Amino acid sequence: MDLKQFLELFNPLPGNHYLLVTDTIDEVAFALEELLQKVGGELHIALYEDTPSKLPAALNAAKLQSIQNLSQPFRALPRDNDIVIFKDIQQLHKNFEQLLKIAYTTLANNADIIIMQKSDSMDVEATKELLECYEFRAPNAIDLLKGYDLVMAKKMHMWGNGL
């Protein structure tokens, strides 16, 4: 998977925290970790897996939260993350709307949310509408990663659910 264009979506600043919510550790996690390490940022990973596993050595600086139940939420501190990325979890999780509420709470103001699913497994228009319902603004479908559909939106300061 060529992640060059995907990584251009990000402009990490020193101390930024990104949260990756996924069901597998793959090249996306490694690429985000490398990107954040260059600026002293931190990658948090909420990994939905059947049995807890250790992170590969290349992700030693990342903070892992292992979750064994696809109906359970992940944990995240309020306003602790600058970007939340949901990768291949929208269709799997039993209560994705609950995850969107947590994402809203954990995102800093003016922060981004990205939902990425394997191509043709996500109704892009319905996902954009869902993001609007949960107070994420300006949702856009982005076609830049082969084999994946991406929708990106922003949590805006003083909009919807407030701070």
Side-chain angles (χ1 to χ4, degrees):
M1 173 180 334
D2 182 16
L3 297 175
K4 185 179 184 303
Q5 284 187 307
F6 173 71
L7 293 175
E8 289 175 1
L9 290 174
F10 306 97
N11 184 26
L13 299 172
N16 274 174
H17 293 175
Y18 289 6
L19 172 61
L20 174 64
V21 182
T22 186
D23 68 335
T24 186
I25 298 294
D26 62 8
E27 56 267 13
V28 170
F30 293 111
L32 289 171
E33 173 67 9
E34 183 178 332
L35 188 69
L36 286 164
Q37 285 301 303
K38 290 178 183 175
V39 297
E42 202 170 89
L43 178 64
H44 300 180
I45 301 172
L47 181 61
Y48 283 87
E49 57 185 346
D50 292 332
T51 56
S53 61
K54 292 180 73 173
L55 284 174
L59 294 174
N60 275 344
K63 294 193 172 165
L64 175 68
Q65 176 185 162
S66 178
I67 308 154
Q68 284 77 52
N69 186 334
L70 281 165
S71 62
Q72 295 296 315
F74 60 90
R75 294 178 317 279
L77 295 172
R79 291 197 232 172
D80 189 45
N81 290 286
D82 301 287
I83 294 182
V84 173
I85 303 125
F86 289 107
K87 183 179 173 297
D88 294 327
I89 205 75
Q90 180 184 18
Q91 306 299 325
L92 293 176
H93 199 275
K94 308 264 189 288
N95 190 353
F96 188 68
E97 290 82 8
Q98 180 183 31
L99 300 187
L100 288 176
K101 289 178 186 178
I102 296 167
Y104 189 92
T105 301
T106 193
L107 281 169
N109 291 323
N110 299 319
D112 295 311
I113 183 170
I114 298 172
I115 300 174
M116 53 190 301
Q117 289 286 135
K118 288 187 176 51
S119 293
D120 301 323
S121 69
M122 169 174 51
D123 181 338
V124 172
E125 290 306 313
T127 299
K128 288 165 53 175
E129 289 175 21
L130 183 64
L131 286 167
E132 284 279 354
C133 287
Y134 285 90
E135 307 297 343
F136 292 101
R137 300 296 172 222
N140 285 299
I142 302 170
D143 184 22
L144 55 74
L145 189 57
K146 186 176 178 169
Y148 276 88
D149 292 325
L150 274 80
V151 176
M152 186 172 187
K154 186 168 281 297
K155 174 185 176 182
M156 299 296 289
H157 178 65
M158 299 296 288
W159 282 58
N161 290 322
L163 304 175

